[in-house]
């Protein structure tokens, strides 16, 4: 693999993933090339150009397959644009350029992002990232775009006020205090519980969302159950059982943290949806164990687990027992617009994490740093 470039490695994986979800790879490949920029030609034999936190091995791209009720799975890319040369400020500028170019190309609406862009602009970005984005591909449709900004890019202590002002400008401020009251453990805001992602869909459709992500370090399942309780109609028992199954029954998620997100939509006085992201790679011995848990969860919710196996094969040919971290997260989405399960796959362009003993995985590995790892979405 060392003879390949970053773009060649990721493109091969992307083409194979497109076949899994039955979409034409043309547009996804074009966007991947734009996202990587000059970094795409960099040989994998050289170390990463930037310590991107999109993935554990600093690959600036992560793939995911999103299963939804009543529709085929979607393919997602979480990415970080890197500047020339890469750096906190140049990466932020590169991300803005990427968004502006794609807005013109695809007719994206950036009105809500423009309304808060100045809040998340600084000459001295702090934290693990400044701006990421996700690209979502569904069969027969134009790609969808979402931006993730870092509430802590001006400092951890400023994040709560920054988010409050952003939500106020977007007409979503009334539910913020309620979210904090339920989602943050007493005295833990900015400590154990961190405001780590603020995300916006780049369209004006009726399902356009704003999402606020809270990372819960050393949390128990009951903590996210309490956080989700602010959302009407969320089955907190189901949420607890999902976390327990994905985490292998661990009591406290003392390794990489649980992440929860609230979905906000215009016209609703409180969050309309909640998602939980379990960093499954920290609570298994190897990727075979992670795969078995994910397949069981997909079957529980009536989704095609065979598609998951095909997606894994599209990303790697190695034995799943030979490493851990390929399956990075698994998430459960509750509430509109698309409830379901998402499986996050690392590209492993630079490194495969070694498997660990069952005893170590049962205790969980210590986090690499106190800030949150990705979700996704993604995060």
């Amino acid at each position: 693999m060392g003879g390949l470039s970053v773009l060649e490695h990721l493109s091969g994986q992307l083409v194979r993933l497109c076949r899994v979800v039955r979409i034409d790879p043309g547009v996804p490949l074009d966007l991947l090339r734009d996202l990587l920029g000059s970094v795409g030609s960099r040989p994998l034999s050289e170390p990463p150009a930037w310590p991107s936190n999109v993935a554990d091995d600093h690959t600036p791209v992560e793939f995911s397959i999103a299963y939804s009720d009543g529709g085929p799975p979607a393919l997602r890319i979480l990415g970080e644009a890197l500047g020339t040369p890469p750096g906190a400020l140049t990466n932020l500028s590169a991300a803005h350029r990427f968004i502006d170019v794609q807005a013109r190309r695809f007719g994206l609406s950036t009105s809500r992002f423009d309304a808060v862009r100045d809040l998340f602009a600084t000459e001295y970005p702090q934290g693990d990232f400044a701006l990421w984005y996700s690209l979502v591909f569904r069969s027969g449709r134009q790609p969808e775009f979402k931006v993730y900004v870092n509430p802590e890019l001006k400092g951890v202590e400023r994040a709560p006020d920054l988010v409050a002002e952003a939500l106020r400008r977007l007409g979503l401020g009334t539910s913020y205090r309620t979210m904090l009251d339920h989602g943050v453990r007493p005295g833990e805001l900015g400590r154990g519980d961190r405001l780590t992602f603020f995300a916006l869909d780049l369209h004006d459709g009726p399902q356009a969302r704003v999402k606020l992500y809270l990372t819960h370090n050393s949390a128990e399942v009951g903590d996210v159950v309490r956080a989700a309780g602010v959302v009407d109609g969320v089955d907190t028992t189901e949420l607890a059982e999902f976390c327990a199954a994905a985490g292998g029954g661990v009591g406290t998620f003392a390794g990489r943290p649980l992440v929860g997100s609230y979905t906000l939509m215009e016209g609703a006085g409180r969050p309309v949806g909640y998602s939980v992201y379990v960093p499954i790679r920290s609570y298994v011995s190897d990727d075979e164990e992670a795969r078995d848990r994910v397949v069981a969860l997909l079957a529980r919710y009536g989704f095609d687990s065979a598609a998951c196996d095909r997606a894994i094969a599209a990303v790697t040919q190695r034995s799943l027992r030979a490493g851990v971290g390929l399956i990075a997260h698994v998430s459960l989405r509750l509430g509109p617009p698309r409830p379901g399960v998402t499986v996050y796959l690392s590209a492993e362009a630079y490194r495969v994490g070694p498997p660990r003993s069952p005893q170590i995985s049962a205790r969980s590995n210590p986090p690499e740093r106190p800030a949150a790892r990705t979700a996704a979405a993604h995060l």
Side-chain angles (χ1 to χ4, degrees), residues 31 95-117 131-136 142-149 170 198-211:
L31 287 170
H96 282 297
R97 285 194 300 273
F98 177 85
I99 292 168
D100 292 341
V101 168
Q102 306 314 325
R104 291 191 295 271
R105 178 181 179 186
F106 293 100
L108 307 178
S109 172
T110 62
S111 58
R112 293 186 304 163
F113 180 49
D114 291 338
V116 301
R117 190 185 293 225
L131 196 158
W132 293 346
Y133 30 75
S134 72
L135 318 174
V136 184
Q142 287 275 69
E144 300 169 19
F145 295 76
K146 181 165 67 177
V147 295
Y148 298 81
V149 293
L170 296 171
F198 184 87
L200 304 95
D201 289 335
L202 296 184
H203 66 84
D204 287 330
Q207 294 184 334
R209 304 160 299 167
V210 173
K211 297 187 75 173

Side-chain angles (χ1 to χ4, degrees), residues 14 27 31 60 78 99 126 131 136 174 212 232 274 301 307 356:
L14 181 56
V27 171
L31 287 170
L78 176 69
I99 292 168
Q126 301 178 42
L131 196 158
V136 184
T174 56
L212 179 62
D232 291 337
Y274 185 84
Y301 294 100
R356 60 178 74 94

Side-chain angles (χ1 to χ4, degrees), residues 110-353:
T110 62
S111 58
R112 293 186 304 163
F113 180 49
D114 291 338
V116 301
R117 190 185 293 225
D118 64 297
L119 295 175
F120 301 98
T122 176
E123 293 184 3
Y124 306 101
Q126 301 178 42
D128 289 336
F129 79 103
L131 196 158
W132 293 346
Y133 30 75
S134 72
L135 318 174
V136 184
F137 306 100
R138 306 179 196 276
S139 180
R141 297 176 58 175
Q142 287 275 69
E144 300 169 19
F145 295 76
K146 181 165 67 177
V147 295
Y148 298 81
V149 293
N150 184 357
E152 298 182 348
L153 89 168
K154 294 182 179 179
V156 174
E157 70 286 349
R158 295 187 61 183
D161 290 341
L162 206 64
V163 170
E165 174 59 17
L167 291 175
R168 185 196 67 78
R169 292 186 186 183
L170 296 171
L172 299 168
T174 56
S175 59
Y176 182 49
R177 177 46 56 186
T178 303
M179 285 189 291
L180 292 186
D181 288 344
H182 280 77
V184 177
R185 293 166 287 181
E188 290 296 324
L189 183 59
R191 298 179 178 87
D193 295 326
R194 305 275 287 274
L195 296 163
T196 40
F197 300 96
F198 184 87
L200 304 95
D201 289 335
L202 296 184
H203 66 84
D204 287 330
Q207 294 184 334
R209 304 160 299 167
V210 173
K211 297 187 75 173
L212 179 62
Y213 294 72
L214 276 167
T215 291
H216 305 285
N217 291 285
S218 297
E220 299 178 356
V221 171
D223 296 317
V224 294
V225 167
R226 181 176 182 271
V230 69
V231 183
D232 291 337
V234 166
D235 186 337
T236 54
T237 300
E238 188 64 45
L239 181 72
E241 292 177 356
F242 178 89
C243 292
V250 65
T252 300
F253 287 80
R256 291 179 176 86
L258 291 172
V259 178
S261 72
Y262 293 104
T263 300
L264 308 172
M265 299 178 73
E266 190 174 352
R270 58 196 299 130
V272 299
Y274 185 84
S275 300
V276 65
Y277 308 80
V278 179
I280 192 170
R281 66 195 187 281
S282 281
Y283 303 96
V284 293
S285 301
D286 54 41
D287 283 308
E288 183 173 84
E289 185 178 2
R291 177 264 173 200
D292 291 345
R293 289 189 198 172
V294 166
V295 164
L297 286 168
L298 291 172
R300 173 182 179 134
Y301 294 100
F303 296 123
D304 180 13
S305 59
C308 179
D309 283 330
R310 292 194 296 272
I312 291 171
V315 174
T316 188
Q317 294 298 306
R318 69 166 174 83
S319 166
L320 297 183
R321 292 185 179 182
V324 65
L326 172 72
I327 303 173
H329 284 81
V330 60
S331 71
L332 177 66
R333 308 186 309 278
L334 299 168
R338 295 186 182 91
V341 174
T342 302
V343 182
Y344 300 80
L345 301 172
S346 298
E348 295 185 332
Y350 292 103
R351 179 178 177 270
V352 174

